[in-house]
Amino acid sequence: MDKQNLVSGMRSTGKLHLGHYMGVITNWVKLQEDYNCFYFVADWHALTTKYDNTDTLRQDKIDVVLDWLACGIDPNKSTIYFQSKVLQIAELHILLSMITPQNWVERDPTLKDMVKIIRNKDEENNENIPQLNYGLLGYPVLMSADIMALNAQIVPVGVDQLAHLEITRDIARRFNNIYKTELFNEPKPKLTEIPLLIGVDGQKMGKSFQNDIKISDDENTTSKKIMQCITDRSRARKDDPGHPEQCEVAFKYYQAFADSETVNQVKCECKAGQRGCADCKRQLGKIINNKFAPIRQKREEYAKDINKVYDIINDGSKKAANEAESIMKKVRDAVNI
Ligand code: TRP
Ligand code: SF4
């Protein structure tokens, strides 16, 4: 049986952090074995909010792909591309926008959240979306075009994207109804099970909060950032018994990155007051650096051979465009355009 098509994308936010690694990329790497995977950098989506700040866009896009390749997204297994190189997506976006009711996009809760973040407004009463650009309003329609241009059955996403995907399913159903066809699947979300990694300060990990550790950070930077991790706040001296379950960040990182034997040892020694937090974090820094050493080395090798990376992206973009074109032929027929 043919493998099902799977599509997922990331906006071009620049270098990725360990939260992306644990939450998304390891999952993508596994999925390569079971699905026909299409992974793309959503550069048009990036423009929906950063349209007036594009100086770093090209570098950001390539940084994302470098991180993917370093972490094991394999161009021989998966199709890697830039959204903006697959023009069929833009064409489908126009056709889908013709059949998408305005209130479907206005109701989108994820979009409301995004608008709040952009405007830096935290007021509760945002029933109405404040003044926003047409392109941003179309965010879920463009995302639907990404998915439907490849007629994907499966879309791995985080919970924050579920509302968007629900709109995609509605749009696919509506297209099929209006044009009396069964062309489109209703794509299913595949939720990432791995809990999101928090930042060194205990808040959500993110570049804008400056609490993240990048996949591409060097060992020294990583060690320094790990030393900033919050531990058990109730602990005053290093021979006081600690509470790993109240150790806000450091122990969580152990659970994410260390083997179970080490995790157990840390737990016992911490509880018995046999392990100081500074030493504990020094060890943690080493564990993380060891884990990422081969990934960082691979990233550097790709970065030195950047033309090869552009070749991978160009090939992937052509492949995605070919696949999308064969679907678009049927779409044009269905619409009679
Ligand atoms: N909106 C997604 C995010 O912000 C990125 C994205 C764009 C996407 N198009 C997609 C994800 C299509 C999955 C499928 O994370
Ligand atoms: Fe956390 Fe380690 Fe300190 Fe225990 S010893 S509180 S696990 S950092």
Side-chain angles (χ1 to χ4, degrees):
M1 212 184 86
D2 273 357
K3 286 183 179 172
Q4 292 186 318
N5 277 0
L6 175 153
V7 171
S8 202
M10 275 187 204
R11 272 175 290 162
S12 38
T13 48
K15 292 175 176 169
L16 303 177
H17 54 59
L18 302 197
H20 293 118
Y21 176 82
M22 289 308 285
V24 186
I25 305 178
T26 43
N27 196 32
W28 282 16
V29 170
K30 283 192 215 122
L31 292 165
Q32 297 184 109
E33 309 305 324
D34 298 323
Y35 297 97
N36 191 17
C37 293
F38 292 86
Y39 294 134
F40 70 97
V41 180
D43 47 359
W44 282 329
H45 275 112
L47 286 185
T48 61
T49 54
K50 286 188 68 174
Y51 52 85
D52 56 352
N53 184 6
T54 60
D55 292 350
T56 61
L57 184 55
R58 290 195 172 154
Q59 186 59 41
D60 289 346
K61 285 158 61 170
I62 197 82
D63 272 326
V64 169
V65 174
L66 280 171
D67 282 329
W68 289 354
L69 293 170
C71 292
I73 305 289
D74 180 347
N76 295 315
K77 292 178 184 161
S78 300
T79 309
I80 298 170
Y81 57 103
F82 289 155
Q83 180 185 37
S84 63
K85 284 189 169 262
V86 182
L87 297 181
Q88 288 82 356
I89 295 170
E91 183 185 359
L92 184 56
H93 175 244
I94 292 179
L95 295 179
L96 298 182
S97 75
M98 303 302 169
I99 65 162
T100 305
Q102 185 177 341
N103 65 355
W104 287 12
V105 285
E106 283 178 348
R107 263 200 317 250
D108 179 6
T110 314
L111 195 68
K112 287 189 186 174
D113 288 346
M114 285 179 67
V115 171
K116 273 193 212 162
I117 293 166
I118 298 163
R119 298 185 191 275
N120 246 337
K121 280 188 186 165
D122 287 316
E123 304 114 68
E124 289 299 297
N125 66 339
N126 255 324
E127 265 315 298
N128 299 313
I129 299 183
Q131 168 61 37
L132 78 173
N133 286 348
Y134 175 59
L136 180 59
L137 190 62
Y139 192 105
V141 186
L142 181 56
M143 186 158 155
S144 301
D146 295 329
I147 297 165
M148 292 166 65
L150 296 156
N151 210 357
Q153 283 98 335
I154 304 286
V155 184
V157 283
V159 268
D160 61 316
Q161 298 293 315
L162 283 180
H164 285 148
L165 207 63
E166 203 46 53
I167 296 181
T168 303
R169 294 163 61 81
D170 288 342
I171 293 177
R173 205 176 307 128
R174 190 169 163 92
F175 185 100
N176 289 349
N177 280 335
I178 291 176
Y179 299 110
K180 306 205 169 33
T181 167
E182 289 179 359
L183 178 54
F184 286 116
N185 304 303
E186 283 179 38
K188 290 192 188 60
K190 191 169 179 63
L191 260 190
T192 312
E193 281 148 37
I194 311 144
L196 289 180
L197 202 70
I198 49 173
V200 293
D201 58 357
Q203 310 296 312
K204 186 177 183 247
M205 188 180 277
K207 162 166 144 175
S208 44
F209 310 119
Q210 294 184 350
N211 62 357
D212 61 339
I213 300 171
K214 306 269 193 258
I215 294 169
S216 53
D217 275 344
D218 62 29
E219 299 205 343
N220 204 0
T221 310
T222 305
S223 306
K224 277 198 195 133
K225 288 186 183 168
I226 291 292
M227 292 313 282
Q228 295 168 10
C229 284
I230 297 190
T231 62
D232 173 0
R233 293 179 198 259
S234 70
R235 207 171 177 213
R237 276 177 306 266
K238 68 177 189 182
D239 45 4
D240 287 346
H243 310 85
E245 66 289 345
Q246 288 170 32
C247 175
E248 285 179 43
V249 182
F251 190 66
K252 294 214 169 69
Y253 283 11
Y254 267 102
Q255 288 172 310
F257 296 108
D259 57 53
S260 55
E261 210 177 303
T262 309
V263 174
N264 269 331
Q265 193 193 357
V266 170
K267 197 195 277 179
C268 293
E269 291 180 7
C270 174
K271 281 183 178 167
Q274 290 167 350
R275 151 180 292 265
C277 291
D279 284 339
C280 190
K281 289 194 279 190
R282 260 189 288 277
Q283 185 189 351
L284 177 62
K286 281 192 193 126
I287 290 171
I288 293 181
N289 277 331
N290 280 342
K291 186 177 172 73
F292 285 95
I295 292 175
R296 288 166 175 168
Q297 197 188 336
K298 204 164 154 192
R299 195 186 195 281
E300 272 174 33
E301 281 161 21
Y302 274 115
K304 273 189 215 135
D305 200 358
I306 204 73
N307 287 334
K308 187 167 143 196
V309 179
Y310 281 108
D311 285 346
I312 289 171
I313 296 166
N314 286 335
D315 288 352
S317 300
K318 274 187 207 134
K319 238 174 99 188
N322 272 339
E323 177 94 3
E325 181 57 26
S326 75
I327 291 157
M328 283 311 293
K329 286 204 171 86
K330 295 180 199 154
V331 172
R332 292 178 203 120
D333 282 347
V335 178
N336 289 317
I337 193 111

